[in-house]
């Protein structure tokens, strides 16, 4: 076989080998790109769920705060108030607890601690509500209610500020 033919065969083998290696490398790179794209897509979906959880929590905190504000400064005629005997936070506490439990996965540990503190204080007031609804509830319990509501309002405000800080929207 002449040298030119050998050179042509070797050149075509080299060309085929280079093409095969290039195809394999491109396939491997595409697999890596697809894997990274899937990871990024999942990460974006989790962020989307987290934003929704924070949005729902924010709305619930505002609603929760509004409820407790009804029982603060009840003597102020320029503000909507409720009588202490109408204090019944069980429904608000239940809604808040359910929302929290449904979205707990997306909250940071620090935010969880703050929310749980609000919930514990709010749920503790369920017993005070029973006392206030009964006959003979005196002013001591009424004053205790206002101070307890102020404490919850303060803690809710702390949660809201903390959420804004976490989301970098403060």
């Amino acid at each position: 076989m002449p040298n030119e033919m050998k050179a042509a065969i070797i050149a075509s083998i080299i060309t085929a080998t280079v093409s095969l290696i290039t195809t394999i490398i491109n396939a491997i790179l595409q697999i890596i790109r697809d894997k990274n794209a899937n990871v990024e897509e999942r990460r974006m979906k989790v962020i989307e769920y987290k934003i929704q959880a924070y949005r729902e929590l924010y709305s619930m905190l505002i609603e929760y705060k509004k409820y407790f504000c009804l029982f603060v400064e009840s003597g102020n005629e320029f503000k909507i108030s409720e009588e202490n005997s109408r204090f019944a936070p069980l429904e608000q506490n239940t809604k808040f607890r359910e929302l929290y439990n449904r979205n707990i996965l997306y909250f940071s540990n620090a935010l969880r601690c703050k929310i749980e503190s609000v919930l514990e204080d709010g749920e503790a007031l369920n017993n005070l509500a029973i006392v206030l609804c009964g006959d003979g509830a005196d002013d001591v319990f009424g004053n205790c209610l206002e101070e307890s509501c102020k404490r919850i309002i303060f803690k809710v405000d702390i949660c809201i500020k903390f959420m804004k800080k976490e989301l970098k929207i403060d």
Side-chain angles (χ1 to χ4, degrees):
M1 198 183 281
N3 284 339
E4 294 172 355
M5 194 165 211
K6 286 181 186 176
I9 292 173
I10 291 174
S12 56
I13 291 174
I14 291 174
T15 303
T17 305
V18 169
S19 294
L20 182 63
I21 291 172
T22 302
T23 304
I24 291 171
I25 291 173
N26 282 334
I28 292 171
L29 289 174
Q30 189 60 42
I31 290 170
I32 293 170
R33 281 188 206 115
D34 289 346
K35 184 178 177 182
N36 288 340
N38 288 340
V39 167
E40 190 63 29
E41 187 177 318
R42 282 191 306 251
R43 186 177 295 132
M44 292 305 292
K45 199 66 166 167
V46 168
I47 289 171
E48 183 180 317
Y49 290 144
K50 183 175 182 171
I51 289 170
Q52 183 62 32
Y54 273 68
R55 193 177 288 145
E56 288 177 15
L57 177 63
Y58 181 80
S59 295
M60 186 70 234
L61 285 169
I62 296 298
E63 182 181 330
Y64 199 67
K65 179 181 174 179
K66 280 182 181 179
Y67 179 79
F68 286 99
C69 282
L70 292 173
F71 300 95
V72 175
E73 297 178 6
S74 56
N76 185 345
E77 63 185 62
F78 300 107
K79 166 184 168 312
I80 297 174
S81 300
E82 285 286 345
E83 295 178 21
N84 289 351
S85 62
R86 296 182 53 98
F87 183 69
L90 181 61
E91 183 180 342
Q92 291 293 322
N93 288 328
T94 303
K95 282 173 39 179
F96 191 10
R97 176 63 74 177
E98 286 173 355
L99 182 133
Y100 172 68
N101 288 340
R102 188 172 56 246
N103 293 303
I104 192 171
L105 178 65
Y106 302 106
F107 302 138
S108 67
N109 289 336
L111 182 59
R112 282 186 210 150
C113 290
K114 291 180 185 328
I115 295 168
E116 287 171 6
S117 175
V118 172
L119 280 167
E120 287 169 4
D121 284 358
E123 290 168 343
L125 292 180
N126 290 337
N127 293 328
L128 180 60
I130 293 169
V131 171
L132 290 171
C133 290
D135 292 336
D138 57 12
D139 289 338
V140 173
F141 290 116
N143 292 338
C144 179
L145 173 63
E146 185 167 343
E147 290 305 312
S148 297
C149 288
K150 284 180 180 178
R151 185 176 61 247
I152 289 174
I153 292 165
F154 178 74
K155 286 186 173 187
V156 166
D157 287 339
I158 289 173
C159 282
I160 289 171
K161 287 177 186 170
F162 189 79
M163 285 175 58
K164 287 180 177 181
K165 183 178 177 184
E166 274 194 346
L167 296 173
K168 295 177 178 37
I169 56 176
D170 54 344

